[in-house]
Amino acid sequence: MQTTASPDTPALAVSRLGHRFGSKVALHDVSFTLPVGSFTVLLGLNGAGKTTLFSLITRLYSSRHGSIRLFGHDIDRSPGQALATLGVVFQARTIDLDLTVGQNLHYHAALFGLSRREAGHRIAAELERAGLADREGDVLRKLSGGQLRRVEIARALLHRPRLLLLDEPTVGLDMASRQAMLGHIRRLKQETGLSVLFATHLFDEIQAEDTILLLHKGRLVAEGGVPTLIERSEQPDLPRAFDTLTRLAS
């Protein structure tokens, strides 16, 4: 049965989510909601459980405990409707470097049932937005790391999702490329109304107005705006707030 989302339905609602790898607990009792149109940072050190959480949201892993809803669609009961709302950029690249930009994007568009004509229009629009309008015929190996990431973001937006997940998309990029990538993502959010969940372990990628989900050793130990976390920790800045809140939770 199709679920119709009301105006106040969250973009993402995670409830009491848990996951194990054998005897190792990767996520424990994680619950949160993302409002529609929000930019939320999933902050945690490597190994905190960020990628596991993304793998559960995208159904790469099957969750054994808890629930995940995307715009009101339960990911287990209505996976097609739920995942259709989602665009994803994983930390590991998932594009074919021996194909051209256009070939990669057309292949993805075909997976979502877009006609060749419609795919062409959308690809041209997303490459223009990404500043890559003149690179459609280039083999991906010719592109820089930052350009490859922008191709992946363009690909993730072709089916017009409502929530964009980005798992440490700036890993391996130099400072200038990181800043350009972050600017691109934030402009996308402003221009399109996308909801964004952005995973990182780098404090300089966070802005004061962002909402933070602080994940530590598989547990959500704090959430709220940057000023809220700083005030709660009684520290002068976010890095020291992070150290205090994770130490108290350990």
Side-chain angles (χ1 to χ4, degrees):
M1 182 175 67
Q2 184 171 354
T3 301
T4 302
S6 66
D8 58 348
T9 299
L12 174 62
V14 172
S15 179
R16 306 204 68 179
L17 191 64
H19 189 74
R20 289 176 176 267
F21 296 103
S23 61
K24 176 178 172 55
V25 177
L27 290 175
H28 178 75
D29 204 27
V30 172
S31 298
F32 62 88
T33 60
L34 301 187
V36 172
S38 61
F39 190 103
T40 303
V41 176
L42 181 64
L43 177 63
L45 300 175
N46 293 332
K50 302 189 298 297
T51 297
T52 299
L53 176 60
F54 274 33
S55 296
L56 291 170
I57 295 170
T58 57
R59 294 195 91 215
L60 289 178
Y61 299 158
S62 295
S63 58
R64 295 182 182 173
H65 306 285
S67 67
I68 301 170
R69 300 179 73 87
L70 290 158
F71 296 93
H73 301 296
D74 186 281
I75 202 164
D76 293 319
R77 297 178 182 176
S78 305
Q81 291 171 307
L83 295 178
T85 70
L86 194 61
V88 188
V89 177
F90 291 105
Q91 182 174 339
R93 292 198 180 101
T94 57
I95 47 180
D96 191 329
L97 297 179
D98 293 317
L99 298 181
T100 67
V101 172
Q103 287 170 331
N104 272 278
L105 297 184
H106 273 287
Y107 177 75
H108 182 81
L111 293 177
F112 281 89
L114 297 177
S115 70
R116 185 79 181 179
R117 180 182 178 86
E118 179 62 20
H121 290 317
R122 295 192 188 188
I123 287 168
E126 292 304 333
L127 290 180
E128 178 71 31
R129 199 198 308 268
L132 297 170
D134 59 341
R135 309 304 294 269
E136 185 173 350
D138 288 357
V139 174
L140 285 180
R141 289 190 185 279
K142 295 182 178 180
L143 272 57
S144 68
Q147 289 170 329
L148 288 173
R149 281 306 196 194
R150 279 183 281 162
V151 171
E152 288 187 289
I153 292 172
R155 181 184 63 177
L157 297 176
L158 287 178
H159 63 287
R160 296 180 177 166
R162 299 169 63 193
L163 171 62
L164 182 62
L165 303 185
L166 302 117
D167 187 7
E168 304 242 19
T170 64
V171 165
L173 302 182
D174 59 35
M175 178 63 74
S177 297
R178 283 206 298 123
Q179 293 304 316
M181 173 64 59
L182 286 164
H184 178 55
I185 294 166
R186 292 183 184 278
R187 283 192 300 275
L188 279 172
K189 188 262 182 189
Q190 292 297 324
E191 292 172 3
T192 66
L194 269 173
S195 307
V196 176
L197 181 59
F198 181 94
T200 187
H201 64 279
L202 301 171
F203 299 109
D204 65 352
E205 295 187 345
I206 300 170
Q207 293 187 356
E209 64 270 21
D210 294 340
T211 299
I212 294 177
L213 301 172
L214 203 167
L215 195 64
H216 181 63
K217 295 182 178 178
R219 297 174 182 268
L220 187 63
V221 300
E223 61 181 304
V226 173
T228 299
L229 267 59
I230 289 173
E231 180 179 2
R232 175 178 165 184
S233 67
E234 300 181 342
Q235 294 293 343
D237 54 40
L238 184 59
R240 279 178 276 197
F242 176 89
D243 289 342
T244 296
L245 293 170
T246 53
R247 176 171 45 81
L248 290 173
S250 297

